[in-house]
Amino acid sequence: MLRPIVRYGADVLHRPAAPVTDITPETQLLIDDMIQTMYAAPGIGLAATQIGIPLRIFVCDISVGRNPADLITFVNPEFVERDGMQLEEEGCLSVPGFNATVARPSRAVLKGLNRHGEEQVVEAAGLLARCFQHEVDHLDGTVFVDRLRGLQKDLIVRRIKKLSRAGKW
Ligand SMILES: [Zn+2]
């Protein structure tokens, strides 16, 4: 089932999500909905908070469905290593129409559970490392706009507020 994606400014996007204590059939349905919603958008990643569910789950697929092996689900993810630096343009399904260059580590090792509750460790570089960090940020209540500074951030926040007042957000 497709779920509506909430936008920057929605409370659920701006507070930390809770760990998943038990992976139930309901969790499986939630994950299926997240995958379907991510592909329909289309996007390369989606955190549960983006569909209004404050749980530490995200899905990602940097091939956007072209390569089934690229679909990754993480439950309760935690970084075990991060290093290097990459500067790339980033966007977010919860901030449609806005992109900005965000500095991120270029390599990341993420540990957590897969959708079956088994422990998994995934080493990522480049776009996948960026995606992991963007999604874990969501689970911590941080949107990429929050990582911007100064004028760049002010400009985006001001334009969102304006759209919001006009009922277009
Ligand atoms: Zn996002």
Side-chain angles (χ1 to χ4, degrees), residues 72-75 110-115 118-122:
I72 297 172
T73 299
F74 256 106
V75 177
L110 194 61
K111 185 185 85 169
L113 304 177
N114 66 16
R115 66 178 297 170
E118 299 151 352
E119 191 163 296
Q120 67 181 351
V121 178
V122 181

Side-chain angles (χ1 to χ4, degrees), residues 42-59:
I44 63 166
L46 188 79
T49 49
Q50 292 183 273
I51 54 166
I53 308 290
L55 287 175
R56 303 188 75 82
I57 304 173
F58 78 79
V59 296

Side-chain angles (χ1 to χ4, degrees), residues 50 92 134 138:
Q50 292 183 273
C92 178
H134 180 111
H138 272 307

Side-chain angles (χ1 to χ4, degrees), residues 131-152:
C131 187
F132 280 178
Q133 293 171 84
H134 180 111
E135 300 311 327
V136 173
D137 264 2
H138 272 307
L139 305 183
D140 292 333
T142 300
V143 181
F144 83 93
V145 176
D146 303 323
R147 291 210 171 270
L148 306 176
R149 292 284 169 265
L151 204 62
Q152 203 185 19

Side-chain angles (χ1 to χ4, degrees), residues 26-90:
E26 213 175 43
T27 317
Q28 299 297 342
L29 288 178
L30 168 65
I31 292 169
D32 286 340
D33 287 354
M34 286 171 63
I35 292 168
Q36 206 186 332
T37 303
M38 169 179 74
Y39 284 148
I44 63 166
L46 188 79
T49 49
Q50 292 183 273
I51 54 166
I53 308 290
L55 287 175
R56 303 188 75 82
I57 304 173
F58 78 79
V59 296
C60 72
D61 178 350
I62 57 168
S63 81
V64 205
R66 282 190 297 270
N67 178 8
D70 282 343
L71 176 60
I72 297 172
T73 299
F74 256 106
V75 177
N76 299 340
E78 267 173 58
F79 286 109
V80 287
E81 275 176 49
R82 268 190 283 184
D83 48 57
M85 208 272 272
Q86 56 172 318
L87 273 173
E88 295 292 340
E89 191 144 81
E90 203 164 309

